[in-house]
Amino acid sequence: MFEIPADGDYDAEQAARAELLGIHLTGSRTPLYLIRSWEEIEHERSLARVLGPEQPIVSVGLPHGKAVEDFPADAHAWADFALARLQKLPGPFRRLAGWSMGGILAYEVAQRLARKGEPIELVVVLDTFVPVPRPSRHRERIHRGSFHRAVRKLDHFLEERTWPKRRAYLRARWERRRDKLAKQTEGLRTWWRGAAPDDDRPKRGLDPSDGMFVTDTGERITLLQRTIWVSYRKYRPGPCDFPLVVLRTAKTHAQCGDASLGWGAFAQGDFQSVLVPGKHFTMWNEPHVQVVAGKLGEALRTAACVDARRDDAPDIRRSAG
């Protein structure tokens, strides 16, 4: 494991390539295991500074490679990848957390550990909302015949009582039709340029010239960015019975429309959703990170109290025997 300080300099390149990264490893508390999905090392250092030297933090490194096949195909494969790295340590892995896509990975790793019978004391999802399946554009559309559509448009036209309003209605109809036709024409031109044999632009897929992935729209992204996007959109969580805490920002809450960020539908055990300041990226800036780390610390202390009560409770089966 590659250990870095909470403050001061470190070898950033070696830390980014490390399979496992540690901060405050000599701390006396139960370690917190973070599943990293992006370049979040500075986020982890910010948490470590606020949580203090007694809180060990271990984070799982990212997949690396030069081909699409070198990266996990979905969130479940990525969770297997993270768990394989995590299990190089002796464990147990009772407290897990992750930010953004890492929240999904932490949840999935906890699911795998729980299925093996390992006790999970806490999972913290940091500003991650459950992806919503994209409905088909035509799934809810009621198909009407051309005669029905013509009658409906005529009815709208006759509802306008004055000729200026009727002319405005016809003008709006014509402008919408013109814009739609222009968009369709541009789409055909784009398709033709992409399909033309003499077009030297890189097609969808990996561009060997710079190792970037080209999307259907021509956008160039890294293979890790593609892995994050594909894994996130395809992910569908299952229910859990371990304690789950969601730390959410106001903007993500507004985007999701649900204070639980969608996780409440799957949490069958203790569940809590807490509002923290900042936005998805700025929550790690000062002074917001102080609150984020404080709420995370409260969740860790609660998990420690529950664990202590469990250890102090009498073993009923042994007493009965």
Side-chain angles (χ1 to χ4, degrees):
M1 183 189 302
F2 185 67
E3 185 174 2
I4 62 173
D7 289 294
D9 297 331
Y10 64 96
D11 189 331
E13 183 176 352
Q14 187 176 356
R17 303 291 301 184
E19 292 187 356
L20 295 167
L21 197 67
I23 309 175
H24 293 158
L25 294 181
T26 58
S28 60
R29 299 172 188 160
T30 303
L32 172 65
Y33 297 93
L34 300 176
I35 312 300
R36 197 162 75 245
S37 63
W38 192 241
E39 300 169 357
E40 301 140 51
I41 296 177
E42 286 305 310
H43 300 172
E44 296 167 352
R45 296 218 307 166
S46 298
L47 288 177
R49 284 192 291 270
V50 181
L51 293 175
E54 293 303 314
Q55 178 58 63
I57 293 178
V58 177
S59 75
V60 180
L62 305 172
H64 298 280
K66 297 182 179 179
V68 175
E69 295 75 17
D70 296 331
F71 291 81
D74 53 33
H76 299 284
W78 199 340
D80 292 335
F81 165 87
L83 183 58
R85 287 191 165 185
L86 199 60
Q87 288 181 326
K88 293 180 179 180
L89 300 175
F93 313 105
R94 297 180 177 180
R95 303 174 187 179
L96 300 103
W99 170 72
S100 195
M101 181 64 196
I104 287 176
L105 299 178
Y107 184 88
E108 273 301 308
V109 169
Q111 291 277 53
R112 282 153 174 71
L113 292 170
R115 285 197 290 267
K116 293 180 179 180
E118 298 191 25
I120 303 299
E121 295 176 357
L122 177 67
V123 174
V124 181
V125 174
L126 296 157
D127 209 41
T128 308
F129 63 86
V130 177
V132 179
R134 289 183 175 179
S136 170
R137 292 189 305 167
H138 306 288
R139 186 174 297 169
E140 303 297 332
R141 182 178 296 176
I142 300 176
H143 296 279
R144 306 289 190 182
S146 57
F147 176 75
H148 180 275
R149 294 195 296 270
V151 171
R152 186 180 59 181
K153 293 172 184 175
L154 178 62
D155 185 52
H156 290 168
F157 174 77
L158 296 176
E159 285 179 355
E160 304 295 344
R161 299 299 182 181
T162 63
W163 278 107
K165 290 184 177 181
R166 289 179 177 179
R167 284 196 296 270
Y169 172 78
L170 292 174
R171 188 181 303 111
R173 289 288 310 171
W174 161 248
E175 290 175 354
R176 285 198 295 270
R177 175 60 64 180
R178 182 193 60 195
D179 294 343
K180 183 177 181 180
L181 182 61
K183 186 179 294 186
Q184 290 174 340
T185 302
E186 181 61 27
L188 287 173
R189 288 174 178 170
T190 302
W191 173 83
W192 176 254
R193 287 196 299 267
D198 57 348
D199 184 13
D200 57 357
R201 296 180 311 154
K203 305 298 187 298
R204 181 184 184 277
L206 185 66
D207 186 353
S209 64
D210 58 4
M212 299 290 281
F213 188 86
V214 183
T215 66
D216 292 327
T217 60
E219 182 182 2
R220 307 177 73 83
I221 58 177
T222 66
L223 287 173
L224 180 59
Q225 286 175 310
R226 175 189 177 274
T227 302
I228 292 172
W229 179 247
V230 172
S231 299
Y232 177 77
R233 295 306 311 179
K234 292 168 61 176
Y235 179 66
R236 301 294 178 265
C240 74
D241 57 3
F242 45 73
L244 180 65
V245 173
V246 174
L247 302 185
R248 71 185 193 279
T249 62
K251 185 174 181 180
T252 304
H253 180 176
Q255 290 176 336
C256 182
D258 178 10
S260 74
L261 303 190
W263 295 102
F266 304 96
Q268 298 179 351
D270 294 338
F271 176 77
Q272 188 179 14
S273 179
V274 181
L275 182 66
V276 295
K279 298 180 181 179
H280 190 62
F281 291 98
T282 62
M283 63 187 290
W284 301 108
N285 299 341
E286 294 286 355
H288 304 326
V289 69
Q290 296 285 335
V291 180
V292 173
K295 297 298 183 182
L296 177 58
E298 290 178 11
L300 292 171
R301 287 191 293 272
T302 300
C305 292
V306 172
D307 185 50
R309 288 197 300 268
R310 185 185 303 114
D311 291 341
D312 292 340
D315 191 330
I316 298 177
R317 291 171 299 177
R318 186 166 49 197
S319 300

